[in-house]
């Protein structure tokens, strides 16, 4: 193994660590809402490709060191996890395929448990940092297996907030895995200090280095975009606030304790002695606040203009649907009349 190879593995592991820590930080900030951010799917895909390149470099290392059990277990874990991630990505596009997602995740967990066990029980355990990595993998994925069995009956949607919180904490020790591997390769790099760096890199290593650099740039760009999406998710813009301003805020609580937030626009020059039609505008998307559903309801925005308020005096009710859901783009209907307010 060359110094250049060890340097490439260290860079790839460092990038994996940085991406994982940023995602964990944002996960604690947003909770299950993280998965609904517009740019998260792209971020997730880039992170998976970074992880795949890192895994391939590790497999090359295991093969060179003749850690056969770890090599084959790592190969199996890499292939299975890649297939599972592709399946989960496709399932988000075609929900009907998502009925087997727990079985797929279970398969991925078991393969990583085997991979971790080989780092502890095979010749790879002669490297102290690899052995510690294996112990941590067994503990983390053993805990994930217990959690998966515990929440076996939890539906995939809506996401279970308690399960997601447990996973957030389980992801933290998993972020230590790249650190332990990094320490192993720093030690290898120190031991190989006397090796001569080749004047030309092998095509495979050169390709891996180039892809890692490109993915690092993509990670920075997508990380900034994620921060922007996170801000937009939690803050209404000045335009959205201005659109909602003419609509009074309201809240209805049913006898069963269910709460419905809504916005109500009164007729211009409202006369309590007259009867006005009631227009119910159903927004095509809603957020956590009681503001942005107006911008997602074309009929409400149209009736809220000064010209149309004069021409079509009516009560306009815009109920907020459950966050991150909607009633279809621009769906609305009207009721014949609404006596008074």
């Amino acid at each position: 193994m060359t110094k250049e190879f060890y340097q490439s593995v260290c860079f790839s592991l460092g990038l994996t660590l940085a991406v994982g820590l940023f995602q964990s930080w944002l996960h604690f900030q947003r909770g299950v809402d993280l998965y609904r951010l517009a740019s998260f799917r792209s971020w997730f895909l880039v992170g998976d490709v970074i992880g795949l390149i890192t895994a391939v470099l590790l497999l090359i290392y295991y093969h060179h060191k003749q850690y056969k059990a770890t090599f084959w277990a790592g190969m199996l874990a890499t292939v299975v996890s890649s297939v599972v991630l592709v399946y989960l990505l496709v399932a988000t596009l075609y929900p009907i395929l998502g009925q087997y997602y727990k079985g797929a995740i279970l398969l991925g967990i078991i393969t990583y448990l085997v991979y971790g066990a080989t780092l502890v029980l095979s010749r790879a355990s002669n490297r102290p940092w690899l052995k510690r990595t294996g112990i941590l993998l067994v503990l983390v994925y053993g805990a994930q297996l217990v959690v998966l069995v515990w929440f076996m009956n939890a539906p995939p949607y809506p996401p279970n907030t308690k399960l997601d919180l447990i996973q957030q904490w389980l992801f933290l020790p998993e972020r230590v895995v790249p650190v332990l591997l990094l320490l192993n390769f720093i030690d290898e790099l120190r031991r190989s200090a006397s090796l001569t760096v080749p004047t030309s890199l092998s095509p495979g290593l050169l390709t891996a280095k180039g892809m890692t650099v490109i993915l690092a740039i993509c990670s920075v760009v997508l990380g900034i975009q994620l921060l922007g999406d996170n801000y937009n998710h939690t803050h209404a813009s000045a335009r959205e606030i201005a659109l909602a301003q003419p609509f009074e805020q309201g809240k209805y609580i049913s006898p069963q304790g269910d709460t419905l937030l809504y916005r109500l626009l009164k007729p211009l020059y409202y006369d309590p002695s007259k009867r006005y039609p009631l227009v119910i505008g159903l927004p095509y998307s809603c957020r956590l606040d009681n503001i942005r559903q107006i911008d997602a309801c074309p009929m409400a925005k149209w009736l809220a203009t000064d010209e149309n308020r004069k021409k079509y005096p009516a009560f306009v009710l815009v109920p907020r649907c459950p966050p991150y859901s909607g009633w279809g783009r621009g769906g609305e209907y009207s009721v014949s009349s609404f006596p008074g307010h």
Side-chain angles (χ1 to χ4, degrees):
M1 300 255 90
T2 64
K3 288 174 60 177
E4 191 69 30
F5 175 81
Y6 290 136
Q7 290 169 355
S8 298
V9 179
C10 288
F11 180 76
S12 185
L13 284 168
L15 182 58
T16 301
L17 176 62
V19 168
L21 289 176
F22 177 79
Q23 183 170 316
S24 287
W25 173 78
L26 200 58
H27 199 174
F28 275 102
Q29 294 287 317
R30 297 297 325 134
V32 295
D33 294 341
L34 170 66
Y35 311 123
R36 302 185 178 103
L37 297 179
S39 54
F40 179 75
R41 185 174 294 171
S42 299
W43 166 268
F44 187 68
L45 182 60
V46 168
D48 289 341
V49 176
I50 292 172
L52 180 60
I53 292 175
T54 305
V56 170
L57 293 174
L58 289 174
L59 290 174
I60 294 172
Y61 170 74
Y62 296 146
H63 185 267
H64 176 79
K65 289 289 187 177
Q66 296 186 348
Y67 300 151
K68 293 183 179 180
T70 302
F71 171 79
W72 289 111
M75 176 73 78
L76 179 64
T78 301
V79 171
V80 170
S81 63
S82 299
V83 172
V84 169
L85 288 171
V86 170
Y87 164 74
L88 293 176
L89 183 62
V90 172
T92 62
L93 301 174
Y94 305 98
I96 193 172
L97 300 176
Q99 55 184 320
Y100 305 111
Y101 85 103
K102 287 185 178 176
I105 293 175
L106 177 62
L107 184 60
I109 289 175
I110 291 174
T111 56
Y112 268 95
L113 277 172
V114 174
Y115 172 42
T118 62
L119 287 170
V120 178
L121 302 174
S122 70
R123 288 182 61 244
S125 63
N126 294 330
R127 301 285 303 171
W129 291 114
L130 290 183
K131 185 174 183 178
R132 291 165 186 152
T133 301
I135 293 172
L136 183 59
L137 284 172
V138 170
L139 291 175
V140 169
Y141 283 96
Q144 289 191 9
L145 181 61
V146 171
V147 171
L148 182 65
V149 173
W150 186 12
F151 287 91
M152 186 60 73
N153 295 323
Y157 186 84
N160 187 299
T161 54
K162 184 177 180 180
L163 172 60
D164 186 69
L165 181 61
I166 294 174
Q167 289 176 333
Q168 288 179 42
W169 287 103
L170 286 177
F171 285 150
L172 284 182
E174 190 176 350
R175 305 307 181 201
V176 181
V177 170
V179 176
L180 298 178
L181 290 170
L182 192 57
L183 290 171
N184 174 75
F185 284 99
I186 290 174
D187 181 60
E188 290 279 24
L189 190 59
R190 188 175 65 250
R191 290 169 180 266
S192 65
S194 60
L195 295 177
T196 302
V197 178
T199 56
S200 61
L201 301 179
S202 66
L205 184 57
L206 188 60
T207 301
K209 285 175 67 69
M211 288 185 64
T212 307
V213 171
I214 293 172
L215 290 169
I217 297 172
C218 291
S219 298
V220 173
V221 173
L222 287 172
I224 295 172
Q225 191 173 346
L226 267 176
L227 291 175
D229 289 343
N230 179 48
Y231 182 85
N232 292 334
H233 236 61
T234 55
H235 296 78
S237 67
R239 182 184 63 82
E240 290 168 330
I241 293 173
L243 284 173
Q245 195 64 37
F247 293 76
E248 297 179 0
Q249 292 197 66
K251 178 169 64 175
Y252 169 75
I253 302 177
S254 71
Q256 293 75 29
D258 297 321
T259 301
L260 174 68
L261 300 178
Y262 63 86
R263 285 269 181 173
L264 180 66
L265 180 71
K266 291 182 178 179
L268 200 62
Y269 314 122
Y270 169 62
D271 184 353
S273 63
K274 292 184 178 180
R275 296 171 67 88
Y276 297 92
L278 170 66
V279 177
I280 301 178
L282 303 180
Y284 56 80
S285 69
C286 295
R287 300 296 176 89
L288 294 169
D289 54 66
N290 192 18
I291 297 174
R292 284 179 280 183
Q293 70 263 35
I294 303 300
D295 189 38
C297 185
M299 178 61 74
K301 290 193 292 184
W302 185 75
L303 286 173
T305 63
D306 290 340
E307 178 184 355
N308 288 325
R309 290 187 74 183
K310 293 176 183 177
K311 190 181 296 185
Y312 310 107
F315 285 97
V316 182
L317 179 69
V318 186
R320 193 203 72 171
C321 52
Y324 315 110
S325 63
W327 279 292
R329 194 171 185 85
E332 43 264 326
Y333 62 90
S334 62
V335 180
S336 58
S337 62
F338 184 66
H341 180 82

